[in-house]
Amino acid sequence: MPRGLWASPHSVLPSPTRSSPPPGRCEAMRMLLADQGQSWKEEVVTKDTWLQGPLKASCLYGQLPKFQDGDFTLYQSNAILRHLGRTFGLYGKDQREAALVDVVNDGVEDLRCKYATLIYTNYEGGKQDYVKALPDHLKPFETLLSQNRGGQAFIVGDQISFADYNLLDLLLNHQVLAPGCLDPFPLLSAYVERLCARPKLKAFLASPEHTNRPINGNGKQ
């Protein structure tokens, strides 16, 4: 049965009929599916449709994204990523690696929350301090890379995991926010280049489906 992904423009989008919603929480899922050679059907829910109420009321936590894999429905972006990780063998080769993948993904979530707070609540007043503190937030990922095959492989082990896609998405966003932010981190810089060169992922990142989406719903990046 086909996979389906329901995504929504951020609530602060100026136009309820905008055809290119921001990537939001779904972009790492899209990267994963594209890189794994999977097809999916995506339905973008407009602000008007969402505010009408029935769809929101039908969602478990009253929010999107919603992911449907056949007759199996999931909510919560990180739960969806973990499901895809298990489905496609992208969750480490054993329990030890799976635990490390979780460590990485939780670290990504911590930084993503900081990033979202900046973008949506304090961009003008907080950007300078955020960028100043950014090296401290990026350093743990450089450390993790250095501990895994000298930084020449993935963030955990010798095969890509769902956490790699999530981290890559976040790093690409930060390169827009603060160009050069990865310069002090040679392993992270090479890691981003290496992942972006994967043929299927490279094609997705160059596609209109990716490039035409604003990074964030309020236009700040």
Side-chain angles (χ1 to χ4, degrees):
M1 298 181 70
R3 294 183 177 88
L5 179 64
W6 282 257
S8 68
H10 193 276
S11 60
V12 298
L13 275 176
S15 169
T17 58
R18 189 168 187 166
S19 60
S20 297
R25 292 281 184 163
C26 293
E27 202 66 359
M29 303 171 205
R30 297 182 183 108
M31 289 181 181
L32 184 157
L33 289 168
D35 193 43
Q36 296 299 312
Q38 300 298 310
S39 60
W40 70 95
K41 177 182 178 182
E42 185 165 341
E43 180 177 339
V44 176
V45 179
T46 66
K47 186 177 179 181
D48 276 350
T49 298
W50 186 248
L51 291 177
Q52 288 173 9
L55 176 60
K56 182 176 182 178
S58 73
C59 292
L60 182 62
Y61 294 102
Q63 61 189 27
L64 296 174
K66 170 185 176 183
F67 182 81
Q68 189 163 340
D69 193 351
D71 61 356
F72 183 50
T73 301
L74 277 176
Y75 300 92
Q76 297 291 356
S77 56
N78 281 298
I80 296 168
L81 276 174
R82 287 186 168 95
H83 168 70
L84 293 173
R86 286 185 286 266
T87 299
F88 297 112
L90 308 174
Y91 214 140
K93 67 182 180 182
D94 53 31
Q95 289 187 352
R96 182 187 179 94
E97 284 195 0
L100 291 173
V101 169
D102 283 335
V103 168
V104 174
N105 202 63
D106 286 0
V108 171
E109 179 66 13
D110 286 346
L111 183 52
R112 191 181 293 278
C113 287
K114 291 181 175 69
Y115 172 79
T117 298
L118 169 72
I119 293 295
Y120 291 108
T121 70
N122 191 31
Y123 184 81
E124 285 77 15
K127 181 178 177 181
Q128 184 176 350
D129 287 342
Y130 183 93
V131 172
K132 184 178 180 180
L134 188 55
D136 288 339
H137 299 311
L138 294 175
K139 185 177 179 180
F141 300 112
E142 180 85 354
T143 298
L144 285 166
L145 278 172
S146 72
Q147 294 172 347
N148 183 39
R149 292 161 175 75
Q152 303 305 308
F154 302 102
I155 196 70
V156 174
D158 56 8
Q159 63 183 24
I160 200 166
S161 71
F162 73 87
D164 286 294
Y165 298 107
N166 208 13
L167 176 57
L168 176 62
D169 175 43
L170 189 62
L171 293 175
L172 291 175
N173 289 348
H174 277 83
Q175 285 185 310
V176 174
L177 174 73
C181 67
L182 297 186
D183 290 351
F185 304 105
L187 297 182
L188 271 180
S189 296
Y191 169 82
V192 168
E193 292 181 6
R194 192 162 59 246
L195 291 189
C196 288
R198 291 168 65 88
K200 292 176 182 177
L201 187 52
K202 181 178 180 180
F204 171 76
L205 293 174
S207 70
E209 290 78 11
H210 175 77
T211 60
N212 289 345
R213 291 190 187 99
I215 294 177
N216 299 302
N218 60 0
K220 300 182 187 302
Q221 57 184 37

